[in-house]
Amino acid sequence: MSMTEEICRWAYAKAMRLEHIRQALEDYGRAVFIDDGLEDTEILPVPHRFVLSRVDISHASGHPLTYCNGVRVA
């Protein structure tokens, strides 16, 4: 797993603890999580901003895919 994938998975897990992020994903399919704790600015272009997006690829399966900065996290 790349460093970007690890950071995105970490950010997703942290963001899912916040009700307003979960609600935005549910309602709009997108949410922006900003974290001030990440200090390594060389890993991601904008290290404190994570764009979460939810994609429903099949209504039959009932399980949407979730991406964080383009990395599949759930």
Side-chain angles (χ1 to χ4, degrees), residues 36-67:
D36 293 331
L38 187 62
E39 296 177 4
D40 193 344
T41 58
E42 295 181 10
I43 295 172
L44 295 172
V46 183
H48 305 291
R49 182 174 177 258
F50 298 92
V51 178
L52 304 170
S53 55
R54 180 178 158 165
V55 180
D56 292 320
I57 58 170
S58 171
H59 293 290
S61 71
H63 184 29
L65 301 177
T66 304
Y67 292 86

Side-chain angles (χ1 to χ4, degrees), residues 1-73:
M1 181 179 315
S2 74
M3 183 65 78
T4 299
E5 290 172 318
E6 286 183 40
I7 289 172
C8 285
R9 291 182 189 282
W10 167 85
Y12 170 74
K14 193 169 180 181
M16 289 299 97
R17 294 184 208 142
L18 303 172
E19 176 62 32
H20 70 281
I21 296 289
R22 288 194 312 270
Q23 193 64 49
L25 275 175
E26 180 69 29
D27 293 346
Y28 309 111
R30 289 180 65 87
V32 176
F33 172 63
I34 297 174
D35 183 69
D36 293 331
L38 187 62
E39 296 177 4
D40 193 344
T41 58
E42 295 181 10
I43 295 172
L44 295 172
V46 183
H48 305 291
R49 182 174 177 258
F50 298 92
V51 178
L52 304 170
S53 55
R54 180 178 158 165
V55 180
D56 292 320
I57 58 170
S58 171
H59 293 290
S61 71
H63 184 29
L65 301 177
T66 304
Y67 292 86
C68 174
N69 289 5
V71 174
R72 183 174 169 209
V73 291

